[in-house]
Amino acid sequence: MAAVLESLLREEVSVAAVVRWIARSTQGSKDNPGEAAALSSLRPLRKEFVPFLLNFLREQSSRVLPQGPPTPAKASGASAALPGRPGGPPRGSRGARSQLFPPTEALSTAAESPVARRGGRRRVPGPARERGGRSLEEGVSVESLPGAGSRRLRGSGSPSRPSLTLSDPPNLSNLEEFPPVGSVPPGPTGTKPSRRINPTPVSEERSLSKPKTCFTSPPISCVPSSQPSALDTRPWGLGLPPGCRSLQEEREMLRKERSKQLQQSPTPTCPTPELGSPLLNWTGGLTDELADPARVSSRQRLELVALVYSSCIAENLVPNLFLELFFVFQLLTARRMVTAKDNDFELSPGALDSLESPLFQSIHDCVFFAVQVLECHFQVLSNLDKGTLKLLAENERLLCFSPALQGRLRAAYEGSVAKVSLVMPPSAQAVSFQPETDNRANFSSDRAFHTFKKQRDVFYEVLREWEDHHEEAGWDFEKGLGSRIRAMMGQLSAACSHSHFVRLFQKQLLQMCQSPGGAGGTVLGEAPDVLSMLGADKLGRLWRLQERLVTPQSSGGPCPPPTFPGCQGFFRDFILSASSFQFNQHLMDSLSLKIRELNGLTLPQHEPSDEDGESDVDWQGERRQFAVVLLSLRLLAKFLGFVAFLPYRGPEPPPTGELQDSILALRSQVPPVLDVRTLLQRGLQARRAVLTVPWLVEFLSFADHVVPLLDYYQGIFTLLLRLHRSLVLSQENERKMCFLNKLLLLAVLGWLFQIPTVPEDLFFLEEGPSDAFEMDIVAPEHGLDSMPVVDQQLLYTCCPYIGELRKLLALWVSGSSGRSGGFVRKITPTTTTTSSLGAQPPQTSQGLQAQLAQAFFHNQPPSLRRTVEFVAERIGSNCVKHIKATLVADLVRQVESLLQEQLVTQGEEGGDPAQLLEILYSRLCPHGAQALALGREFCQRKSPGAVRALLPEETPAAVLSSAENIAVGLATEKACAWLSANITALIRREVKAAVSRTLRAQGPEPAARGERRGCSRACEHHAPLPSHLISEIKDVLSLAVGPRDSDEGVSPEHLEQLVCQLGQTLQCRQVRGGICHLRAAFLCPCVRPDNQSHAGSGPILAAVIMVMPMVSIFPPQFLCPPAEQHLAKCSVELASFLVADQIPILGPPAQHRLERGQARRLLHMLLSLWKEHFQGPVPLQLLLSPRNVGLLADTRPREWDLLLFLLRELVEKGLMGRMEIEACLGSLHQAQWPRDFAEELATLSNLLLAEPHLPEPQLRACELVQSNRGTVLAQS
Amino acid sequence: MILTKAQYDEIAQCLVSVPPTRQSLRKLKQRFPSQSQATLLSIFSQEYQKHIKRTHAKHHTSEAIESYYQRYLNGVAKNGAAPVLLDLANEVDYAPSLMARLILERFLQEHEETPPSKSVINSMLRDPSQIPDGVLANQVYQCIVNDCCYGPLVDCIKHAIGHEHEVMLRDMLLEKNLSFLDEDQLRAKGYDKTPDFILQVPVVMLCPLAVEGHIIHWIESKASFGDECSHHAYLHDQFWSYWNRFGPGLVIYWYGFIQELDCNRERGILLKACFPTNIVTLCHSVA
C-alpha cells in the first residue's frame, strides 16, 4: 500500500488515477497506460489502500494531536501488559496509539492477503466473513484508542510501517505521561475518567466473536454517563467478560512487539515525556501554537496526500464521512505545547518524497493539510448548521491558511438559516382515553376491563416514579420498579389485554420519545403551547437557558454506540424488567405493523410544476410531516430491533467455529421479525431511501453478532454498501437525491458501519458500486429522495453526533465559549399525531367509474386528489356518526317511550326483559333501512361544500364539479358500505343499552319521578343550600334532645326563619343552566321559533338532538333526593319537638318555652310545606312513633292540644288518613307507658276518632286555640 | 382558606381528643375566628376521622364492647333520661354515632334470635323509632343528633354538600360557556374513570403572580378541605388516573387546602380553592 502512496508522492501516478483505481476495480486509466500498468501490478492490494491511508493519517497525526482524549484506563492496561515496569520505560509506555497494526499481523507476512492472514481459521468465501487477527489490536484499543485521531484499521501490514515510528515526538495523547487533571478532556469522546476497561481477551478462535470497538468510540459496554448500568449487565449489553484465559498470552505478544519496536528506534528524537506536568490542563497548561503558512514543511507532499484523502472521502470510499471530517477538524484545531521543542525536524534530504519522514512535522503541517481537505469539502461544510459555520468562519487558522475558503464560509454562514437546536419542547402527555378503543365494549369481560384500568394507572405510576428517581445516584430501575412491573404484567391474562397494553405502551413511547427533547430534561412537565402563549421573549430566553442546561456536553464521540437516551431508557428498562414473552411478542407485532404503516405512508408529493408562492408554505408542512414520520419510524425500529434481537444478545462471547455454523444454520431458518429486506428493496426502487434507510439503520444497530453473517441480512448490508457508495455528494443531478438527503443517509450509514456488531471488513471488502445497482433502480419520476425533505434540523436530530464538529470548534475558542451559545431556534411543536397522517385511500370499486376517476386525477395536481379523498373519508365517517346521532337516537327515544307504556300497562316488572327486547327489535330494526337513504342524502349534501372550500377558488368549474361528484361518490360508498353491514347490529346494541338503562332508572318510586316541578316565576334562586338547612335543623334537634348548656337555645325568630328557608329551598328547584328550555322547545313543536319548512328545521333539530344525550332526564339541582328525604324526616322531628314543647328558647330567663301561638304557627307552616312542597314522601307517621309521642310523657303538665291540632290538620289536608292515624295510635298502646299517660293517650285517640267528619274545621281550630291547656281532654 | 402546613398543624393540634360535638365546634370557631366555619368543620371532621381510624380497633374488641354495654345498662337503669350513651362515648373518646351502633348491635344480639344484618342496623340508625327498646331509641337518637362527624345525618349533609358544589361548578362552567361532559355522560360512554367534568375544549388557567398558565382538561370538585392524607388518597385513586387518561386538570377544594400540596402543577394537577377567574380559552379566528 505504501508503494501506491509513495509512487503517488513521487508523482509517478496522478491522484485522479489512484482514486479511479481504488473506486473502480475494473477499469484502469485509459489516459495513461503507464499509470495503469503501475497500478495494476498492485491490484491485489487495491482494497487495502483506503484502510491503509486512513491508518497512515491517524498514525502520522498521533504525534501532534493531543485531542484524542485518551482513556485513563489505558494506563492500567498498559502497565498490566508490562508487568514489573516500575517507572515505565519511556518507549514502552507510549500506549497503543501507535500500535496501529496488531503484532500478530506484524509478525506474519505482511504481503499475505487479508483472508490468508486470518489466523488459520476456516476461510469463508464472500465478503467480510471474518476478521481474524484483530484480537490483540482490539484488546489494546479498548483501553487506549478512543479518539478519532486514533483510528486503527486492520488490513494493511505495510512493510514500511516500522519505519514510521522512527522519529518519535512526544506522545501528548498518552495519559500515562500527560494525565489531564481538572478538566474535561477536550474532544467529543470526553468520556468519564472512571470508565472501566477490561482487557479484551484474545483468542485466535474468536476473531468474529469479540465485541468490536468502534473506531473512535468507547466500546458499547463502556458507554459513559447517561447509560445505566443495565448496559453492562443486561443480556443485550455487550459487556465484556472480565478476565480471560488468553489474556496473559496477549500481553506476552504485546510485550514482544514493543521490545521489537524499541530495538528499531532506540532513541526518541523528541524530548522525553517526563516534562509533562501532572497538573497539565488542556486549556491552562497548553497554549495554542500559532500556525503559520510560511512554516509548512513540505507543501507538495501534504497537498498530494490531502488530495487523495479528499478524493477518497468524496467518492465515499471511507466508511464514515463525518468521522473523517472530525479528524480533519481535530487537525485544524490541534494544539501544541509551547514547551515542546520538536518544531524543527531535521529532515534528511530526499525524505520528502517518501514515507520515511513524518507527514506532519509541525502544527503548521497539520493545519495546512486540514485546510486543504476542507477546501475540497466546502459543499458539505456549507450545509452544516449555522453555529458550526460561524465557528469555522471565525477560525483564525482557517483565515490564515485559506482566506478564500474563509470568505466562502462566511458567505455561507451569512446566507444560512440552518439554526439547529437539539432541545425540543417536551410534549409528553399521557395517552388519552378513547372510548372507541378503550371502553368496556372492547374487552372480553368486565374483569379484563377493570384489570386494564388498573394497569394503565400502574404504568403511569411507574413512569412518574422513574421520572422522579432515575437521575438519583444509586437508584436502580429493576430494584425500584421491577417487581411492580412484573406483578402488573402478570395480571394481563387475556391476549386481548396484552394488545391493549401494548397499544398504550407504544403510543406513550411515541409521544414521549419522538422528539430529541424526550431524550432529556423534564418530561411530564408543561405543555409547550401554553408557554408560547405567554410572550415569546421570555420564552426564547427560557429555551436558550434550557438548551444550555440540558444539551449533553457530549453524545459520546462522533460515532457513539446505539443508546436509549432520556425517556427511551424507561421503555427499554420496562421491557427488560417486564421480561414477558407475551408482551414482547405483542410489542413486536405492533411495532412491525406501525412501521409498515408509516413506511408505506403516501407522503405528500411535491409537484415540481407548482413553483408559485404556495410551495413555500406547503413545504414547511411537508417537511415537518416527513420529519415526524421519519423520527417515529426510527424510534419504532430501534425498539423493534432491540426486542427482536434481545434473545440473541448476551454477555457471553458470540460463538465461533462449528458452534457458530450450527447457529447460523438454525438462525437462517428463522423468518425475520419484519421483512426489512423487501422493504429496503422497495424503498430503493421507489426512491424512498431517505425514509426507509434511516429507520432500517436504527433497527440493524441492535443486531447481534450473528446477524451480519446471515444471508438474509448480508443481502441488506450489500444493498446498503452500494447505496453508500452511490451517494457521491458532488454529483448533482436534477433527478437524483437532494444534497441534505444524501448527507443524512451518509451520516446514518457511516454510523452503522462503526457499530461494533457490524464487521468492519464488510465495508472494505465490498466491491465498488456495481453498475447493476444503478440500473436496477427504476426510479419513478419524483421519488421522495429527490425532494428536499431533510433540513439541518432533521439531520442533526437524527445524527446528533454531527454536532461533535461544532463542539470541537467551540473548544478551540474556549475561554470565549459564550460565543457558541447563541444559536437557538424555537421549534413549533408538532401536534400532528402519526395516526392521523395522510388519508387512507378509500376503497374504490374496480368499475368503469373508478377508472374514469383515476384518469381524471391523472392530469390534475396531486393535491386535488388528496383533497377529494380526504373529504370523502371524513364525510363518509361523519355520515355514520350523524346517522347514529339522529336516526338511531330517535329509535332509542321511541324505545324509551314504548317501554314506559309497557311498564304502565304491565305494572312495575314489565314482563320478561328478553322477550321485551325481541318485541322492540322487531318493531325497530326495519327502520334501519332508512339509514342508507339518509346516508346518501347526507353525503350528497355535505361533500360538495367541503371540496369547494378546500380547493383553490380558481379551479375550473368542470374540474370542481367532477371533484365534487367523485367526493360524493366515494363518501357515499364508504358510508353505505359501513351502514349496510352494521346498522342492524348498531340498533340492537343501542336499544339494548336503552332498555337496561330505563329499567335501571326505574327507581323504587316511579310515581314521584314524573312530577318534578320547577321554581315559580318569582323565584330568584337565592334559597339556602339544602346541606346548610339540614345542618341547621340538626343543630336545633340536638339542642332539643340535649344535653345542653344552660345558656343554649334558639330564638323563636330563628325557628321561624328556618322553616321559611326550608320552604324556599323546597320551592326553588331551579333547572340548572337552562338546557331544559331548549329541550322544551324541541318537545313542543308549536313553540319552535322558526316554523319554516321541514328541511329548514333540520339543523335545529339536529342540534337539539345532539344536545339531548347530554341532558339527563332531570337536570341536576341543588336539592337531591336523599337530601330531601332527610329534610322531610328532620322537619317531622322538629314538629314533634314543637308539639312536645321541647325546644329550648332563648329569651328572658323565666321564659324558656315557645308560646303556643308561635308553635301553632310553625306547625302550620310545616304542614303546608309537607302538603305543597315536598316532592318525595314525608314520614309523617313518625309523629306518632312511640319515641316522639313519648316526648310528651315527660312534660308536666302534659299538653295535648298541639298534637290534637296537628293530627286534625293532617287529616284535614289529606296528608294522613284517619285510618292511618288510628292504626298508629293503636300501635302506640302496645308500648309501655306510665299509667296516667296511657289513659290520656287513649282519650286522645277516642276523641279524635269520635269526631264527625270535619264539619267546620276552622271553627274547631279556633276553639282549640282558645281552650286552656291541659283541659281539652277533660272537657271531652 | 389556603393554609400553610404550619397553619394547618396549629389547627390540627387543637383538635386532639376533642369530642365531635356542637360545643367543641363552637369553641374551635372562637379559637380561630379568621377561618371559615366550613373549613374548620371540614378539618375537624377529617382529623377526627383519622383519629377514629387509628383507634377504631380497640373499641371493637369483645371485652370493650361488653364493658361498654354493661356501663350503658347500668347507666340507663339509674336514669334512662340521662345522656348515658353520649357521655360514655365522650368518656372513652369514641364517636357517639359509632358508639350507638356498637351498643345497638350488642343489644340486638341479645334480644333477637338471629344476629342483626347490617341493613337492619343502618335502618334503625336512620330511624331510631324502629328500635324496639324506647330508652335505647332515645339514647341512640341523642348520639346521632349530637355527633358532628359520623352518623346518617352527617353523611347526608356531606353528600348534599358535595352535590351542591358540583351543581355550582356546573353553573359556573355554563356561565363561562365552557362545554363539558359530566360524570354521567362519561359513564354512559364507557369511560373507566370519570372526573366530575371533562372540558370538551381545554382551557388555560393563568395563575396570579406567575407567568405560567396551566392547561386544564378536566375538573374535579371536592367539597372538603384538602389535607395531606385525603389529598394523597385522592391523587392515587382519582387525580393521577384522570391525568393518565385525559391529561392535566384542576381540582377545586372548596374548603381550602394545604398550600404545600399544590406541588404537582407542573405535572398537570392544579389545586384551587375556588373557581378560577383567569381563564384563557381557545380563540377561534374569525374568518
Side-chain angles (χ1 to χ4, degrees), chain A residues 739-750:
Chain A
F739 189 86
L740 278 168
N741 296 8
K742 275 190 202 168
L743 211 53
L744 173 67
L745 291 184
L746 282 177
V748 295
L749 286 172

Side-chain angles (χ1 to χ4, degrees), chain B residues 16-81:
Chain B
V16 178
S17 293
V18 171
T21 57
R22 205 172 62 242
Q23 290 89 346
S24 312
L25 264 180
R26 203 174 53 209
K27 282 177 199 148
L28 192 64
K29 283 171 203 165
Q30 284 160 2
R31 170 83 176 69
F32 298 100
S34 60
Q35 304 297 341
S36 86
Q37 277 195 34
T39 301
L40 283 177
L41 178 57
S42 183
I43 293 176
F44 182 28
S45 179
Q46 280 163 224
E47 284 297 311
Y48 190 73
Q49 283 175 35
K50 274 185 240 172
H51 168 69
I52 290 298
K53 267 179 209 151
R54 277 196 301 272
T55 56
H56 181 80
K58 84 171 181 194
H59 300 292
H60 276 249
T61 60
S62 53
E63 297 81 25
I65 294 174
E66 211 47 47
S67 128
Y68 297 158
Y69 189 55
Q70 284 310 321
R71 287 177 67 178
Y72 159 75
L73 288 179
N74 293 339
V76 293
K78 260 185 245 159
N79 178 9

Side-chain angles (χ1 to χ4, degrees), chain A residues 847-925:
Chain A
L848 188 64
Q849 281 304 315
Q851 282 175 25
L852 273 173
Q854 297 293 334
F856 166 72
F857 286 126
H858 183 73
N859 283 329
Q860 298 295 336
S863 63
L864 178 77
R865 183 194 194 116
R866 283 207 302 278
T867 308
V868 168
E869 286 176 353
F870 174 73
V871 166
E873 204 261 341
R874 289 323 309 155
I875 300 285
S877 163
N878 291 351
C879 173
V880 170
K881 285 186 190 136
H882 178 73
I883 302 280
K884 275 189 205 170
T886 52
L887 178 72
V888 179
D890 257 339
L891 292 178
V892 166
R893 263 192 306 282
Q894 284 183 35
V895 167
E896 280 166 353
S897 60
L898 277 173
L899 213 55
Q900 293 288 354
E901 282 171 30
Q902 206 85 6
L903 289 171
V904 171
T905 52
Q906 297 192 5
E908 261 192 40
E909 290 312 310
D912 176 28
Q915 200 185 339
L916 191 67
L917 269 179
E918 282 311 316
I919 298 171
L920 290 170
Y921 290 155
S922 62
R923 280 168 78 169
L924 296 174
C925 283

Side-chain angles (χ1 to χ4, degrees), chain A residues 121-194:
Chain A
R121 286 215 28 227
R122 187 179 62 90
R123 317 268 149 83
V124 182
R129 269 296 177 98
E130 301 169 89
R131 289 173 294 135
R134 281 178 52 235
S135 313
L136 179 56
E137 164 201 326
E138 281 178 1
V140 178
S141 69
V142 166
E143 302 154 16
S144 57
L145 295 170
S150 62
R151 172 185 184 143
R152 302 136 302 105
L153 291 172
R154 185 211 53 79
S156 56
S158 159
S160 62
R161 183 199 44 79
S163 67
L164 290 176
T165 59
L166 270 174
S167 61
D168 201 358
N171 184 359
L172 297 179
S173 66
N174 186 335
L175 272 216
E176 200 170 44
E177 292 155 10
F178 304 107
V181 172
S183 72
V184 180
T189 45
T191 54
K192 283 189 180 166
S194 60

Side-chain angles (χ1 to χ4, degrees), chain B residues 17 66 68-69 75 101 110 112 148 155 175 178 246 260 262 286:
Chain B
S17 293
E66 211 47 47
Y68 297 158
Y69 189 55
R101 171 185 283 269
E110 196 169 279
E112 312 278 316
C148 63
D155 288 347
E175 196 184 310
L178 301 176
F246 317 114
E260 283 86 343
D262 189 15
V286 185

